[in-house]
Amino acid sequence: MKIAFIGAGRLATNLAPALKRAGGEIVEVWSKTQASAQALASLVGCKACWGRVENATPEADLYLLSVKDSVLKDVISELHAGREHALFAHTAGSLPLSLFAEAGHPRGAVFYPMQTFSKERSVDFARVHFFVEACEPMDCQLLLALARSLTSASNVHETSSAERRRLHLAAVFACNFANHCFALSDDVLRAAGLPFDAMLPLIEETVLKLRELPPAQAQTGPAIRRDENVIGMQRAMLLDQPRLLAVYDTMTRSIQELSDS
């Protein structure tokens, strides 16, 4: 199966090399910019294409679309001509399968890896869960098999668009909001000239505990203990930082309300 990547961002930069290592035939990388297309194409040893998406190769069997959600529908529409029988699969968490039909390309699918990506770090796909959906049963089986070439069968799931939206919402809490809390922690430490590195063993142990305990049972800290003396002291330290104080109060109430439910 010949695979073309439409988009050369963080997800594609990790997924394309992984598919190549698993035996996939990557024939082209397209990006809006020449530098991005050539950078990823050089990693996987294929052609680079840039500029208008209509310039992408018409010879691929599968087009993996990892572009911004806001432009995905337009990209599908523009890519359709000359590729009417090819399989298009987007990698977005919240966008529905029906987007393909709306954009005029009925042979659509979703190939969604549940992971956060960066160009600076390589992801171990053997630990990543994939969520697959397709308009046609045969295409679904094809993408399920593709996912199993990257990770264990138990990590590969067929899910609906509604289920995937909920997965993406959960990921926002587990990843994006958690990382924002790390950034706030860094602000608190830098104000005192203290290193954020001191938090890393704590963060790592917090995550490792989740392999053995549900998150609610693993919760520690003054909020879950109802330690009003510590809570009051910490709130006083944040009185001159209303944004941080609002986050502190919201998180404290949420921890206590969850423990009461």
Side-chain angles (χ1 to χ4, degrees), residues 55-70:
N55 297 336
T57 177
E59 302 300 326
D61 304 304
L62 169 63
Y63 292 82
L64 285 173
L65 284 61
S66 57
V67 297
K68 290 181 180 179
D69 289 4
S70 59

Side-chain angles (χ1 to χ4, degrees), residues 122-184:
S122 295
V123 164
D124 178 8
F125 279 95
R127 303 180 63 188
V128 173
H129 286 249
F130 281 81
F131 299 89
V132 172
E133 185 181 13
C135 297
E136 299 293 336
M138 286 183 61
D139 290 335
C140 187
Q141 293 305 312
L142 186 154
L143 291 179
L144 289 169
L146 188 65
R148 292 185 194 110
S149 74
L150 298 170
T151 189
S152 65
S154 61
N155 288 348
V156 179
H157 316 271
E158 183 179 353
T159 52
S160 67
S161 292
E163 290 169 331
R164 187 164 27 81
R165 282 196 299 271
R166 187 160 290 274
L167 283 162
H168 193 234
L169 173 60
V172 167
F173 280 95
C175 176
N176 307 134
F177 288 175
N179 189 74
H180 181 63
C181 286
F182 301 154
L184 297 180

Side-chain angles (χ1 to χ4, degrees), residues 12-54:
T13 297
N14 281 268
L15 183 57
L19 282 174
K20 171 139 190 200
R21 288 192 296 270
E25 183 182 0
I26 314 298
V27 296
E28 187 175 275
V29 172
W30 173 90
S31 178
K32 286 180 66 176
T33 65
Q34 179 178 354
S36 294
Q38 289 181 331
L40 180 51
S42 67
L43 282 179
V44 294
C46 73
K47 289 174 55 181
C49 179
W50 56 89
R52 295 176 62 85
V53 73
E54 297 97 318

